[in-house]
C-alpha cells in the first residue's frame, strides 16, 4: 500500500481530536469491542489505516464513520489511549461540513436535535421527531411521522410525551419552552462556531 | 446535603418517571436538590452532527458557570449522557487553562464566567458514596423481597472515566438494589451498549443490541431490568415490539429506573412516587411479590 501523508495531515490539523490517532499501533481492540462492528465494513483501526494511506474519499464517504453509538467501550479499552469515539465523531462532523452525508437518517435526526438546542436552549422530545420527519418534505414527512405513531401514542398514553408529535408544521406548536438566556446562548454558540470554522477551513 | 439536580431534557419528557422518583427518593433520604436556574441542554452524544467541538464545550460551560454563580454545589445528573457531557467538559476546562480562557471569552457574551470549581456527579455516585448503602437500607419500609432484577449499566453511566465505579465491572447499582431487598441477578450484558442516540435512526442494526441485553437479563433469571439512564430506559423499553418484529425475538420485559424501585421500597405509592404508571411495558408479575 502506498502511503500518502496529505490526507493524514488534513485529519491531524482539521478534524476534532484527529491528531490523537498518530499513536495508534493497529492492535484492533477498538473494532473487537465495538457493539456495531459487525455492521461496519471497516472498524476504527482500519479507518485510521485508510487515513494514513491517504484514501480521503473512501474515509469521508464511509457510512461506518457515523455508526458510532458513543458507548466509549473502544476508548476505555484502547491500550494507547486514543479517544476513538471523539475521533469518529470528529470525522463524521468533518465529512458533514464538507457536504458529505455518510448516513442520511442519523444526519437528519442530529440536525433536528441541534436546531432544537440552538432555537430554544433545550431539546423538546416531542418536537425533534417532527423536525426530523419534516426534512423529507411535508408529504413524505407526514408519512414518516405516521410510521412512528405507535411509539408516540405509547408514550402519550404513559404520559411521557405531550401530544405535539403529529401537528405539523412545528413552528405553530404552542408551549415550546425557551430558556430565558436563549439570545445570549445563541451569541455564544455563534462565536464558538466561528472559532472552529476557522480551523476546518 | 445540598446539590444541584441537572434535570436534562429527558427528565422533562420521556424520562419524567425518572424525575418523579428521583425527587421522591431525595426527599426520603434528606437530599436537598436545587435547580440550576435557566440551564440549557448538554448537547448529548449526537451534538457533533449539528454542532462542532467548541460549541459542545460552550453548551456545558454555560451550565457550569451558572452553577458556580448560583451556589457552587456539586451538579448531580441522573441522565448518563448529561453526566458525561458536563463532566467531560469540566475536566477539559480544569486541565487546560488556555481553553478555559478562550471559553470564558465566549461566556462573556452572556455575562458569565467559569473558574473550574464545580464537581459533576452521576446520581449513582451520590446515592452510593454520599448517602451510602446503610442509609438506603435504613430507609426501606417495604423490602423488595422476591423481586428478581437485573442491574443494567449500559455505557455512559460508568464509561469512559470510571470515577465512582468500575468501567468494566460496576457494582454500585447492584449494591443499591440489594440494599432494597431485591434479588439481583447475574447477567453478561450489564455494560453493553443499547444503541444510545442512534437507536431510532439505525434501528435495524441496534435492535439486535437491545434483544441481546434483554435476553441476557432474562436468561439470568431477571423479571425486570433496572437502569440509571433515560436513554437506556427508553431504548430497552418502548421499542420492544419493533425489536421483536425485526429480530424475531419475543421480548416483554419491564424496564424501570433504579429510583423507581427505591421509591417503591421506601414506601412510596406505586403510581405516585414510584411512577410505575408511566411505563410502556407494565411491571406486571415482576413486582407482584411486593404488591405493585
Amino acid at each position: 500500500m502506498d502511503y500518502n501523508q496529505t490526507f493524514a495531515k488534513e485529519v491531524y490539523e482539521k478534524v476534532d481530536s484527529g491528531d490523537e490517532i498518530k499513536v495508534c499501533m493497529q492492535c484492533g481492540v477498538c473494532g473487537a469491542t465495538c457493539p456495531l462492528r459487525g455492521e461496519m465494513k471497516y472498524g476504527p483501526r482500519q479507518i485510521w489505516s485508510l487515513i494514513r494511506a491517504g484514501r480521503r474519499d473512501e474515509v469521508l464517504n464511509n457510512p461506518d464513520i457515523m455508526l458510532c453509538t458513543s458507548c466509549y467501550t473502544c476508548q476505555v479499552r484502547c491500550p494507547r489511549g486514543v479517544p476513538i469515539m471523539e475521533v469518529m465523531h470528529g470525522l463524521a462532523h468533518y465529512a458533514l461540513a464538507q457536504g458529505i452525508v455518510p448516513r442520511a437518517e442519523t444526519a437528519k435526526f442530529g440536525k433536528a436535535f441541534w436546531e432544537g438546542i440552538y432555537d430554544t436552549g433545550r431539546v423538546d422530545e416531542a418536537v425533534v421527531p417532527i423536525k426530523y420527519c419534516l426534512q423529507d418534505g411535508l408529504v413524505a414527512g407526514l408519512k414518516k411521522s405516521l410510521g412512528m405513531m405507535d411509539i408516540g401514542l405509547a408514550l402519550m398514553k404513559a404520559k411521557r410525551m405531550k401530544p405535539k408529535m403529529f401537528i405539523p408544521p412545528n413552528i405553530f406548536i404552542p408551549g415550546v419552552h425557551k430558556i430565558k438566556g436563549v439570545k445570549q446562548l445563541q451569541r455564544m454558540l455563534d462565536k464558538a462556531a466561528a472559532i472552529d470554522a476557522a480551523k476546518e477551513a | 446535603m445540598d446539590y444541584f439536580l441537572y434535570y436534562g431534557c429527558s427528565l422533562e419528557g420521556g424520562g419524567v418517571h425518572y424525575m418523579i422518583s428521583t425527587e421522591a427518593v431525595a426527599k426520603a433520604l434528606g437530599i436537598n436538590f436545587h435547580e440550576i436556574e435557566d440551564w440549557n441542554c448538554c448537547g448529548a452524544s449526537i451534538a457533533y452532527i449539528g454542532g462542532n467541538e467548541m460549541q459542545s464545550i460552550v453548551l456545558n460551560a454555560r451550565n457550569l458557570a451558572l452553577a458556580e454563580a448560583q451556589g457552587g454545589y456539586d451538579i448531580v445528573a441522573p441522565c448518563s449522557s448529561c453526566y458525561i457531557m458536563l463532566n467531560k467538559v469540566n475536566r477539559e476546562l480544569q486541565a487546560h487553562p488556555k481553553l478555559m480562557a478562550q471559553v470564558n471569552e465566549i461566556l462573556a457574551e452572556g455575562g458569565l464566567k467559569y473558574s473550574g470549581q464545580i464537581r459533576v456527579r452521576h446520581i449513582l455516585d451520590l446515592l452510593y458514596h454520599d448517602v451510602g448503602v446503610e442509609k438506603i437500607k435504613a430507609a426501606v419500609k417495604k423490602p423488595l423481597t422476591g423481586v428478581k432484577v437485573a442491574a443494567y449499566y449500559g455505557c455512559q453511566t460508568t464509561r469512559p472515566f470510571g470515577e465512582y465505579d468500575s468501567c468494566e465491572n460496576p457494582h454500585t447499582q447492584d449494591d443499591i438494589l440489594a440494599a432494597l431487598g431485591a434479588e439481583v441477578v447475574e447477567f453478561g450484558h450489564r455494560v453493553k451498549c443499547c444503541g444510545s442516540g442512534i437507536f431510532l435512526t439505525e434501528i435495524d442494526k441496534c435492535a439486535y443490541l437491545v434483544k441481546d441485553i434483554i435476553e441476557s437479563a432474562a436468561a439470568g433469571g431477571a423479571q425486570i431490568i433496572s437502569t440509571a439512564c433515560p436513554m437506556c430506559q427508553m431504548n430497552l423499553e418502548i421499542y420492544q415490539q419493533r425489536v421483536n418484529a425485526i429480530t424475531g425475538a419475543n421480548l416483554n420485559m419491564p424496564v424501570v429506573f433504579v429510583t423507581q424501585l427505591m421509591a417503591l421500597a421506601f414506601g412510596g405509592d406505586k403510581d405516585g412516587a414510584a411512577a410505575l404508571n408511566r411505563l410502556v411495558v407494565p411491571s406486571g408479575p415482576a413486582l407482584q411479590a411486593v404488591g405493585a
Side-chain angles (χ1 to χ4, degrees):
Chain A
M1 192 184 269
D2 292 331
Y3 282 78
N4 172 353
Q5 283 289 297
T6 319
F7 181 49
K9 279 185 184 141
E10 183 182 342
V11 170
Y12 300 157
E13 284 166 19
K14 297 185 175 181
V15 172
D16 289 333
S17 303
D19 61 335
E20 304 268 6
I21 67 169
K22 285 177 184 169
V23 299
C24 167
M25 59 183 187
Q26 292 285 302
C27 74
V29 158
C30 46
T33 62
C34 175
L36 290 180
R37 176 64 183 91
E39 305 286 346
M40 296 175 179
K41 185 175 176 194
Y42 304 118
R45 179 189 68 80
Q46 282 174 299
I47 290 171
W48 300 178
S49 207
L50 288 168
I51 291 170
R52 288 169 174 173
R55 308 260 281 269
R56 188 180 195 275
D57 290 345
E58 208 168 334
V59 170
L60 295 182
N61 286 287
N62 189 336
D64 297 351
I65 64 173
M66 213 164 158
L67 197 59
C68 171
T69 64
S70 314
C71 77
Y72 287 100
T73 313
C74 56
Q75 199 156 315
V76 164
R77 293 181 180 170
C78 174
R80 299 288 283 164
V82 178
I84 298 161
M85 190 207 85
E86 311 288 356
V87 182
M88 218 44 117
H89 287 184
L91 281 173
H93 178 83
Y94 188 68
L96 291 164
Q98 313 291 312
I100 302 164
V101 184
R103 283 190 181 269
E105 292 309 307
T106 300
K108 279 187 261 186
F109 191 80
K111 184 171 179 278
F113 196 87
W114 182 259
E115 282 175 2
I117 298 174
Y118 189 88
D119 292 346
T120 65
R122 288 185 199 170
V123 166
D124 187 324
E125 288 176 349
V127 173
V128 169
I130 301 170
K131 281 178 173 270
Y132 162 61
C133 291
L134 287 178
Q135 288 175 62
D136 295 351
L138 194 59
V139 177
L142 268 177
K143 208 175 150 193
K144 197 184 214 171
S145 68
L146 282 174
M148 290 160 63
M149 195 176 232
D150 56 332
I151 300 296
L153 286 175
L155 284 174
M156 279 185 235
K157 201 177 150 215
K159 289 188 278 179
R160 278 156 64 179
M161 184 183 274
K162 295 193 180 91
K164 299 171 187 169
M165 194 166 171
F166 311 106
I167 317 168
N170 59 67
I171 44 171
F172 295 119
I173 294 169
V176 173
H177 182 77
K178 265 191 195 175
I179 64 165
K180 279 185 269 172
V182 70
K183 290 278 174 235
Q184 289 98 321
L185 177 67
Q186 285 170 354
R187 281 208 301 273
M188 292 176 199
L189 292 175
D190 292 346
K191 207 166 168 178
I195 291 171
D196 268 17
K199 178 182 153 192
E200 282 164 15
Chain B
M1 291 201 284
D2 285 83
Y3 301 89
F4 282 119
L5 182 67
Y6 179 79
Y7 287 85
C9 303
S10 287
L11 267 67
E12 294 192 324
V16 67
H17 43 329
Y18 202 5
M19 181 173 77
I20 294 167
S21 55
T22 294
E23 287 177 344
V25 164
K27 208 173 160 193
L29 295 172
I31 299 165
N32 197 10
F33 280 137
H34 305 263
E35 184 168 358
I36 303 169
E37 201 191 322
D38 213 38
W39 57 271
N40 57 266
C41 171
C42 72
S45 49
I46 57 167
Y48 73 90
I49 294 171
N52 57 36
E53 199 170 46
M54 187 54 95
Q55 286 178 312
S56 251
I57 292 171
V58 165
L59 276 178
N60 291 284
R62 181 178 178 273
N63 288 325
L64 293 164
L66 287 172
E68 205 173 64
Q70 293 172 23
Y73 310 117
D74 288 4
I75 297 178
V76 174
C79 170
S80 299
S81 199
C82 298
Y83 161 67
I84 286 301
M85 294 303 284
L86 284 163
N87 200 11
K88 185 162 73 176
V89 169
N90 198 32
R91 289 165 64 115
E92 285 285 309
L93 292 173
Q94 287 170 343
H96 301 103
K98 262 173 82 176
L99 178 67
M100 179 79 94
Q102 198 178 18
V103 166
N104 270 322
E105 269 179 45
I106 297 172
L107 290 177
E109 293 287 332
L112 291 170
K113 188 182 182 311
Y114 183 53
S115 68
Q117 299 303 309
I118 296 291
R119 212 175 145 203
V120 180
R121 322 273 304 274
H122 191 273
I123 196 159
L124 284 178
D125 182 10
L126 161 71
L127 291 171
Y128 188 85
H129 291 289
D130 291 14
V131 176
V133 167
E134 288 312 313
K135 201 172 163 191
I136 290 170
K137 218 180 252 175
V140 172
K141 290 183 182 142
K142 254 171 55 182
L144 302 186
T145 315
V147 173
K148 291 178 179 156
V149 60
Y152 173 66
Y153 293 83
C155 308
Q156 303 186 351
T157 305
T158 59
R159 287 193 294 268
F161 303 119
E163 280 181 339
Y164 67 92
D165 203 347
S166 160
C167 288
E168 302 282 3
N169 192 18
H171 63 91
T172 46
Q173 192 184 187
D174 290 68
D175 294 355
I176 290 167
L177 291 167
L180 304 179
E183 184 186 326
V184 188
V185 309
E186 294 203 4
F187 75 116
H189 281 59
R190 48 212 292 277
V191 296
K192 298 271 187 182
C193 178
C194 72
S196 187
I198 66 165
F199 185 90
L200 183 67
T201 51
E202 302 292 349
I203 191 165
D204 288 345
K205 300 170 184 66
C206 295
Y208 290 90
L209 304 178
V210 164
K211 170 185 181 282
D212 289 350
I213 292 163
I214 296 180
E215 287 183 345
S216 167
Q223 292 185 314
I224 192 164
I225 294 176
S226 168
T227 82
C229 168
M231 195 86 245
C232 297
Q233 199 278 331
M234 187 173 269
N235 285 349
L236 287 188
E237 189 205 22
I238 70 172
Y239 301 107
Q240 281 184 29
Q241 284 182 25
R242 287 194 176 202
V243 172
N244 288 343
I246 293 167
T247 66
N250 188 25
L251 309 175
N252 185 33
M253 174 72 83
V255 185
V256 293
F257 292 109
V258 61
T259 46
Q260 289 184 277
L261 295 178
M262 292 176 82
L264 195 64
F266 293 168
D269 183 75
K270 68 182 170 75
D271 293 335
L276 293 175
N277 57 345
R278 307 287 181 131
L279 297 178
V280 169
V281 178
S283 58
L287 298 176
Q288 257 168 19
V290 289

